Amino acid sequence: MQGLMMDMPLLISSILRHAARHHGDTEIVSRRLEGDIHRYTYVDCEQRARTLADALEQAGVKHGDRVATLAWNGYRHMEIYYAVGGMGGVIHTINPRLHPDQIAWIVNHAEDTHLAFDITFLPIIEAIAARCPKVRSWIAMVDEDRHPVSAAIPNLVNYEQLLRSGRSNWRWPEFEERAAVALCYTSGTTGNPKGALYSHRSTVLHAYGAALPDAMGGSARDVILPVVPMFHVNAWGIPYMAPLVGAKLVFPGSQLDGASIFELFESEGVTFSAGVPTVWLGLLAHVRQQGARFSTLQRTVIGGSACPPAMIRAFRDDYGVDVIHAWGMTEMSPLGTLSRLQNRHLQLDDAAQQKVLEKQGHVIYGVDMKIVGDDGADLPWDGKTYGNLLVRGPWIIQAYFKSEGGDPLQYDADGAGWFPTGDVATIDEQGYMQITDRSKDVIKSGGEWISSIDLENLAIAHPAVANAAVIGIAHPKWDERPLLIVVKKPGVEVTREDLLRFYEGKIAKWWLPDDVQFVDAIPLGATGKILKTRLREQFRDYRLPGL
Ligand code: AMP
């Protein structure tokens, strides 16, 4: 027997429409590249997003077409999110910190038809425009009187001018909730970056999940400032979760230093924020230096990399701010687990509570997880046994965009597919997960991926190098930094500086290894693959220069 409830599809346009209708005068505040603070309401945002959707449709964007962005967190980026997704297109957010060659590769792989960009990224667009023939227009997200002139970019369009060609009485269409809404590439896998393609349904469910009190927890009393960029897994879902609960939003634009963020926290009454650990190091340093206090900030989500225990302590003990340590992935929309105290923990002393908060946390409804051995068999939840972490749920990918890399899932005896995260973890008796290692061969620096394989392939191309391996070494600010380990060819001389210079122009600057170590041999497994676990063991006590 079927239920007799309305079959209303879960579409992202319904979130913004809800915010405009029921939290209409709630503000969205943005620090603009133009230099000023821009403020308007959910009513204004919804109206401009709808008008832009019509303008894009008139410009030829069709259902399923990808429209890319290279942009900071700001109101125009929010409008594009909803305009493109709401009309049935796919918003493809690109990480501007990638090398322009990688950006061009991603644009072409996604077959983006239009690309909207903040003018900070004009040099990137100038470098790639000629290499991306499928992009029909490049949209500069800036006031008309600041519109750039560039001979290198054909079809350069101004955002505000484009917006004027749309009709404000255009209405959001209704379509199937499983339609794609957003595309985000991750470099956290081997080989080329791979796309996670979210659906309207997965995005709305994830926004509900994110808003739960033991997840991020959002309400109409909150003022939320996402430091996490809108090109990092949709700013962890905040652009969807905030209008869903009617929270005020504050966008920091390109100024992500401690002083600028703190100023916005105080001037806008921010209660809740989110970002990777590196960002909070800068903020805490600024607040300490100034002898300042947070007058309104209550909690902040920290994830993307392991949050240092001292950071949780500093926020809690020195400033009365709760840190919610969170773990997730691009492939998971991204929320998986968050560490919050339960009733059972309230009687524990401070040190024991801190131990709980340091873990990556407990799943929220919508995510199931388990740890398994290399044979795929379930491992016990005892807080000690560690294994490969697998996840499953309605906001977790079942395949990568264009089926890149084949079927990524691992199947259990009942035929259920689980996504292998590439993380190695323990789970305790109460279901709190803690990451202990990573089986995937990538390095995470300041919340961004560095491909060890790319760095190795480049090093091996050097005429004096017989073999090379790159591993991540712990770093107090960046979490991990790459170390290049090299076996020289017999009888040839090559220095650390020669090798580092060899990378110049071939990779983004921040990918450059922090140091080079020369060894006689690199440990190899039976199939000839480099044994990274053995190398990590060998370099356990190694310290990067200057630390
Ligand atoms: P991304 O897809 O870029 O969001 O990266 C996801 C990966 O980042 C995870 O698979 C982990 O390896 C790592 N990660 C994310 N959050 C945490 C955390 N809280 N602690 C440790 N590692 C994390």
Side-chain angles (χ1 to χ4, degrees):
M1 187 186 281
Q2 293 271 299
L4 291 172
M5 310 310 281
M6 290 188 192
D7 203 5
M8 196 184 106
L10 301 175
L11 299 176
I12 60 136
S13 53
S14 69
I15 297 181
L16 193 58
R17 213 169 40 201
H18 165 81
R21 196 163 153 78
H22 301 284
H23 302 279
D25 59 357
T26 299
E27 281 183 320
I28 299 175
V29 179
S30 310
R31 193 194 287 282
R32 303 202 313 161
L33 291 175
E34 286 89 336
D36 56 347
I37 298 285
H38 173 275
R39 55 181 78 236
Y40 71 174
T41 64
Y42 276 123
V43 165
D44 303 323
C45 179
E46 194 267 348
Q47 167 118 29
R48 275 173 53 102
R50 216 161 10 85
T51 312
L52 179 64
D54 183 37
L56 288 170
E57 209 166 69
Q58 289 182 44
V61 178
K62 292 192 293 297
H63 210 87
D65 278 357
R66 271 78 69 199
V67 175
T69 58
L70 260 180
W72 301 107
N73 293 3
Y75 67 103
R76 289 189 180 112
H77 206 172
M78 176 90 170
E79 290 163 6
I80 303 177
Y81 260 51
Y82 281 93
V84 174
M87 67 179 284
V90 178
I91 159 102
H92 170 206
T93 50
I94 305 176
N95 185 343
R97 295 186 183 126
L98 296 174
H99 190 277
D101 289 348
Q102 281 177 310
I103 295 179
W105 185 92
I106 288 174
V107 168
N108 290 330
H109 188 269
E111 300 173 69
D112 296 324
T113 61
H114 297 73
L115 189 150
F117 64 99
D118 272 329
I119 46 167
T120 327
F121 306 121
L122 187 68
I124 299 180
I125 306 297
E126 287 180 323
I128 67 168
R131 283 186 274 160
C132 302
K134 292 223 166 104
V135 176
R136 297 205 292 271
S137 76
W138 305 88
I139 307 165
M141 297 159 66
V142 68
D143 288 350
E144 272 181 275
D145 58 1
R146 304 236 181 158
H147 188 66
V149 181
S150 175
I153 309 173
N155 310 323
L156 185 58
V157 172
N158 179 264
Y159 183 90
E160 295 298 330
Q161 210 173 353
L162 173 70
L163 195 68
R164 275 211 309 278
S165 65
R167 292 161 300 179
S168 60
N169 62 355
W170 188 86
R171 291 162 73 108
W172 298 112
E174 228 179 62
F175 46 84
E176 220 270 302
E177 67 182 20
R178 285 179 173 75
V181 66
L183 176 64
C184 194
Y185 279 74
T186 176
S187 316
T189 53
T190 47
N192 284 321
K194 295 188 184 68
L197 185 61
Y198 314 110
S199 66
H200 282 262
R201 175 186 149 83
S202 73
T203 305
V204 173
L205 290 176
H206 180 267
Y208 267 118
L212 289 171
D214 279 338
M216 287 189 184
S219 84
R221 292 168 300 288
D222 272 318
V223 179
I224 306 181
L225 186 152
V227 181
V228 52
M230 290 167 81
F231 54 79
H232 265 181
V233 213
N234 308 317
W236 300 348
I238 290 173
Y240 302 111
M241 186 267 267
L244 182 135
V245 298
K248 172 176 164 181
L249 263 173
V250 183
F251 288 127
S254 63
Q255 293 180 35
L256 302 178
D257 59 287
S260 306
I261 298 281
F262 183 72
E263 187 192 305
L264 275 182
F265 275 4
E266 292 301 300
S267 60
E268 298 302 327
V270 171
T271 58
F272 170 61
S273 191
V276 296
T278 314
V279 162
W280 303 124
L281 279 178
L283 179 79
L284 281 176
H286 170 79
V287 174
R288 257 191 219 118
Q289 211 174 31
Q290 301 293 311
R293 314 273 322 157
F294 299 103
S295 14
T296 52
L297 188 69
Q298 296 161 2
R299 61 200 193 285
T300 178
V301 175
I302 302 185
S305 288
C307 180
M311 186 175 281
I312 302 178
R313 275 237 163 269
F315 267 114
R316 201 170 172 216
D317 297 351
D318 303 345
Y319 300 103
V321 173
D322 286 331
V323 167
I324 306 169
H325 188 196
W327 167 86
M329 301 180 75
T330 306
E331 290 90 335
M332 300 174 68
S333 300
L335 287 184
T337 63
L338 301 103
S339 212
R340 310 210 70 176
L341 298 180
Q342 299 178 352
N343 257 337
R344 70 177 93 235
H345 302 122
L346 300 181
Q347 287 75 26
L348 299 179
D349 64 19
D350 187 62
Q353 287 189 355
Q354 165 82 10
K355 281 275 159 251
V356 176
L357 295 172
E358 284 170 13
K359 297 193 173 194
Q360 274 72 13
H362 202 276
V363 291
I364 43 176
Y365 170 74
V367 177
D368 196 4
M369 70 176 175
K370 63 177 181 177
I371 43 172
V372 299
D374 289 336
D375 57 358
D378 283 19
L379 293 173
W381 292 20
D382 57 12
K384 289 193 285 287
T385 311
Y386 56 86
N388 300 316
L389 181 63
L390 308 188
V391 289
R392 180 175 158 69
W395 60 73
I396 296 167
I397 65 157
Q398 60 178 10
Y400 286 102
F401 183 48
K402 296 187 171 174
S403 302
E404 265 340 306
D407 181 359
L409 303 187
Q410 211 168 300
Y411 293 88
D412 64 18
D414 300 324
W418 291 76
F419 180 77
T421 62
D423 289 317
V424 176
T426 61
I427 304 177
D428 69 17
E429 292 82 351
Q430 276 105 39
Y432 281 73
M433 184 273 285
Q434 187 157 28
I435 306 265
T436 56
D437 199 359
R438 201 181 280 144
S439 60
K440 49 195 170 190
D441 202 1
V442 273
I443 296 163
K444 205 158 204 195
S445 171
E448 309 261 7
W449 292 115
I450 295 175
S451 162
S452 45
I453 295 168
D454 284 1
L455 292 180
E456 286 160 9
N457 287 343
L458 282 168
I460 286 167
H462 190 284
V465 171
N467 202 0
V470 174
I471 56 171
I473 298 285
H475 188 284
K477 175 163 186 201
W478 303 109
D479 189 33
E480 289 177 346
R481 289 295 304 156
L483 168 70
L484 172 64
I485 301 162
V486 165
V487 182
K488 281 191 243 182
K489 281 191 184 151
V492 221
E493 261 328 298
V494 64
T495 64
R496 170 187 187 275
E497 283 65 36
D498 294 336
L499 290 172
L500 294 180
R501 214 172 306 119
F502 190 64
Y503 281 115
E504 267 171 29
K506 301 186 178 95
I507 49 168
K509 276 208 187 83
W510 59 275
W511 277 35
L512 193 69
D514 276 26
D515 196 15
V516 183
Q517 291 283 299
F518 294 97
V519 293
D520 294 335
I522 285 174
L524 302 178
T527 56
K529 264 174 65 173
I530 295 171
L531 286 176
K532 289 287 173 80
T533 41
R534 185 84 61 79
L535 264 184
R536 280 201 283 267
E537 189 66 34
Q538 201 174 318
F539 284 86
R540 171 155 299 190
D541 298 326
Y542 165 85
R543 293 278 167 277
L544 289 167
L547 292 183

